[in-house]
Amino acid sequence: MTYCVGIMSRHGIVMASDSRTNAGYDQVNVSRKMHTFVQPGERALFLLTSGSLSLSQSVITLLREDFDRGAGLAAAGTMYEAVRVVGDKVRAVAELDREALERDEFRFNLHVLVGGQIRGEPPDLYIVYPQGNPLRATEDSPYLQIGECKYGRPILDRGVRFHQTTLEEAAKYAVLSLDSTMRSNLTVGPPIDLLVYPSDTLDVTRYRRFLPSDPDLQDIRGRWERTLQKGVSELPEIQFTPPDG
Amino acid sequence: MTYCVGIMSRHGIVMASDSRTNAGYDQVNVSRKMHTFVQPGERALFLLTSGSLSLSQSVITLLREDFDRGAGLAAAGTMYEAVRVVGDKVRAVAELDREALERDEFRFNLHVLVGGQIRGEPPDLYIVYPQGNPLRATEDSPYLQIGECKYGRPILDRGVRFHQTTLEEAAKYAVLSLDSTMRSNLTVGPPIDLLVYPSDTLDVTRYRRFLPSDPDLQDIRGRWERTLQKGVSELPEIQFTPPDG
């Protein structure tokens, strides 16, 4: 399983991903799910992938080949064109592998989050579905998730606001959302990759990888648990009424 | 959909349930999912149900008929016997309806949480699966959930401890867990039924139904959002390292 989240605020984009892959219960490995396509000063695109690792590797490999020769993501003039490039590669890999997978009852389950900015355009955040079509984050729905989404969603719903949330806060929300998911689902696991993209920087300037033993991650987790426990104890006591049936 | 949670602490049991039922997207109704079977001073049993309302109604109807004539849950000598009684009724309804449902591709998806106490025994909390077999909460896993579980789980994982959590705190955790789920999933909705059972009371002494407009529920929700937002802003800023790839 996987959990990745992208948060868009008026100050930029935050992307975060776990790194656990598993085939069944026993083939558990670490694999980076965050992929950057950067021409400093020109464009900075960040892709997070969920679904079968074989499929996401194929998509990233094909995108990278084009990018390295100045085509595909290197040539897209807008973020919308860029996500269409990603969608085309998803469809190309579906053409290659989908029939064979489905014959053995594997699903073609590849999802891609695409965040970033191309010079002259505002930053943007999209999800690309297994069918290749894109969906854009909006001011009302400023975050997008792929993979094991549910555990990490309440903290985002309670706090992330496009206009109010700073990038520094969005980074903390992303880490808390990842950490909540890792806590409740064993198939989502560290390291956590975290990338914070301030608008108009057009490069990777703030990146952090949290290993499982990372003292900062332990510190965040400990402080957060104490915050929640203190918050609960400070809520007013619930008043009870006589039973009505 | 449904979300119900039971929490066991060394001080007693907390049970909470939503009240929304839906068939597809348009037949949305309110239905109580909390059912009490009480002989004051003798036994107090609380059942929460998830799954098709038709199935849970049948199980409760059959259990109530037996109870009212002093059999079934009224005669069980231990909590284990009581959950076996519930499991037998689940199997009886499976016998009645399962084949016809599955012929039309409906699943026999009935789950029951059973909490409470029988005089001379400690309080206990169980889940009864659609197959009729029971699972007991433990000191290490002191809460059980049925229905749409994932959104409401992180807050429980971060805070609920069998030995440390008071009943008053457990009640707040249950309400927050329900509220987080309602916030993220439209098919889980108010009223919320909350029952707090202090050990050895052998009766229903603390019950509360929160309607959607309940000012206390609004207050809890508002305070909780502010607690989380303040907690995030007070976490130390995340430090970044140069990108490594």
Side-chain angles (χ1 to χ4, degrees):
Chain A
M1 205 62 189
T2 287
Y3 176 51
C4 301
V5 60
I7 301 173
M8 186 171 73
S9 100
R10 68 189 177 94
H11 307 285
I13 307 266
V14 170
M15 311 280 283
S17 53
D18 85 309
S19 303
R20 187 157 291 172
T21 73
N22 64 300
Y25 293 109
D26 45 5
Q27 281 199 50
V28 179
N29 287 298
V30 170
S31 173
R32 180 183 296 259
K33 297 166 192 175
M34 178 179 285
H35 308 273
T36 61
F37 294 81
V38 178
Q39 294 168 326
E42 196 56 47
R43 69 189 63 225
L45 301 171
F46 318 117
L47 274 60
L48 308 182
T49 55
S50 75
S52 157
L53 182 59
S54 156
L55 299 174
S56 59
Q57 280 182 347
S58 286
V59 165
I60 297 298
T61 300
L62 296 175
L63 287 169
R64 188 72 69 189
E65 282 177 5
D66 287 355
F67 185 83
D68 288 346
R69 57 181 180 77
L73 292 177
T78 66
M79 282 297 289
Y80 185 74
E81 279 180 39
V83 295
R84 282 297 184 182
V85 166
V86 174
D88 287 346
K89 288 300 185 220
V90 169
R91 288 171 183 168
V93 174
E95 194 66 35
L96 288 170
D97 291 331
R98 183 169 178 152
E99 189 181 331
L101 288 171
E102 290 183 346
R103 194 184 308 135
D104 283 341
E105 293 177 10
F106 293 100
R107 289 177 55 220
F108 186 83
N109 58 355
L110 181 58
H111 289 73
V112 189
L113 288 185
V114 185
Q117 188 175 17
I118 291 171
R119 188 159 61 91
E121 290 255 314
D124 227 331
L125 175 65
Y126 284 87
I127 188 171
V128 176
Y129 290 106
Q131 296 74 29
N133 55 317
L135 176 91
R136 189 175 161 269
T138 66
E139 294 190 12
D140 292 323
S141 301
Y143 68 85
L144 296 171
Q145 305 170 293
I146 55 177
E148 176 59 273
C149 303
K150 294 187 179 184
Y151 300 113
R153 182 165 174 160
I155 180 63
L156 303 174
D157 280 339
R158 303 270 193 185
V160 173
R161 305 287 178 268
F162 179 82
H163 286 286
Q164 286 82 20
T165 307
T166 67
L167 269 193
E168 292 69 27
E169 286 169 347
K172 297 180 203 174
Y173 279 111
V175 171
L176 291 172
S177 181
L178 257 295
D179 192 56
S180 299
T181 308
M182 294 195 305
R183 171 96 192 220
S184 294
N185 187 321
L186 270 185
T187 69
V188 175
I192 295 176
D193 288 310
L194 173 69
L195 192 149
V196 173
Y197 176 76
S199 298
D200 303 327
T201 51
L202 294 168
D203 203 347
V204 175
T205 58
R206 299 191 206 169
Y207 168 81
R208 174 77 182 260
R209 168 163 270 211
F210 294 95
L211 298 175
S213 57
D214 190 299
D216 286 0
L217 184 60
Q218 311 273 8
D219 181 53
I220 289 171
R221 187 179 293 151
R223 284 175 191 259
W224 189 244
E225 289 206 4
R226 289 192 294 277
T227 294
L228 297 184
Q229 290 170 10
K230 184 157 168 287
V232 168
S233 74
E234 287 175 359
L235 284 178
E237 299 293 305
I238 293 171
Q239 304 301 311
F240 294 95
T241 46
D244 64 10
Chain B
M1 205 60 188
T2 287
Y3 175 51
C4 301
V5 59
I7 301 174
M8 186 171 71
S9 98
R10 69 189 175 93
H11 307 286
I13 306 266
V14 170
M15 312 280 284
S17 52
D18 86 309
S19 304
R20 187 157 290 172
T21 72
N22 65 300
Y25 293 109
D26 47 3
Q27 281 200 50
V28 179
N29 288 296
V30 170
S31 173
R32 180 183 296 260
K33 298 168 192 175
M34 179 179 285
H35 308 274
T36 59
F37 295 80
V38 178
Q39 295 169 326
E42 194 58 45
R43 69 189 63 224
L45 300 171
F46 318 117
L47 273 61
L48 308 181
T49 55
S50 75
S52 157
L53 182 59
S54 156
L55 299 175
S56 58
Q57 280 182 347
S58 286
V59 165
I60 297 297
T61 300
L62 296 176
L63 286 169
R64 188 72 70 191
E65 283 177 3
D66 287 354
F67 185 82
D68 287 346
R69 56 180 181 79
L73 291 177
T78 65
M79 282 298 288
Y80 185 75
E81 278 181 40
V83 295
R84 282 298 185 182
V85 166
V86 174
D88 286 345
K89 288 300 185 221
V90 170
R91 288 172 182 166
V93 173
E95 193 65 35
L96 289 170
D97 291 332
R98 183 169 180 151
E99 189 181 330
L101 289 170
E102 289 184 345
R103 194 185 308 135
D104 284 341
E105 292 176 12
F106 293 99
R107 289 176 56 220
F108 186 83
N109 58 356
L110 181 59
H111 290 72
V112 189
L113 287 184
V114 185
Q117 187 175 18
I118 292 173
R119 187 159 62 91
E121 289 255 314
D124 227 330
L125 176 64
Y126 285 86
I127 189 172
V128 176
Y129 290 106
Q131 294 74 29
N133 54 317
L135 176 91
R136 190 174 161 269
T138 65
E139 295 189 11
D140 292 323
S141 301
Y143 68 85
L144 295 171
Q145 305 169 294
I146 56 177
E148 177 60 272
C149 301
K150 293 186 179 183
Y151 300 113
R153 182 164 173 161
I155 181 62
L156 303 175
D157 280 339
R158 303 270 193 185
V160 173
R161 306 286 178 269
F162 179 82
H163 286 287
Q164 287 82 19
T165 306
T166 67
L167 268 192
E168 291 70 26
E169 286 168 348
K172 297 181 203 172
Y173 279 111
V175 171
L176 291 172
S177 180
L178 258 295
D179 191 57
S180 299
T181 308
M182 294 194 308
R183 172 95 194 221
S184 294
N185 186 320
L186 271 185
T187 68
V188 175
I192 294 176
D193 288 308
L194 173 69
L195 192 149
V196 173
Y197 176 77
S199 298
D200 302 327
T201 51
L202 295 168
D203 203 347
V204 175
T205 58
R206 300 192 205 167
Y207 168 82
R208 173 76 180 261
R209 166 163 272 212
F210 294 96
L211 297 174
S213 57
D214 190 300
D216 287 358
L217 184 60
Q218 310 273 7
D219 181 54
I220 290 172
R221 187 179 293 151
R223 285 174 190 259
W224 189 244
E225 289 206 5
R226 290 192 293 278
T227 295
L228 297 185
Q229 290 170 11
K230 184 159 170 283
V232 167
S233 74
E234 288 175 357
L235 283 178
E237 298 294 304
I238 293 171
Q239 304 302 312
F240 295 95
T241 46
D244 64 10

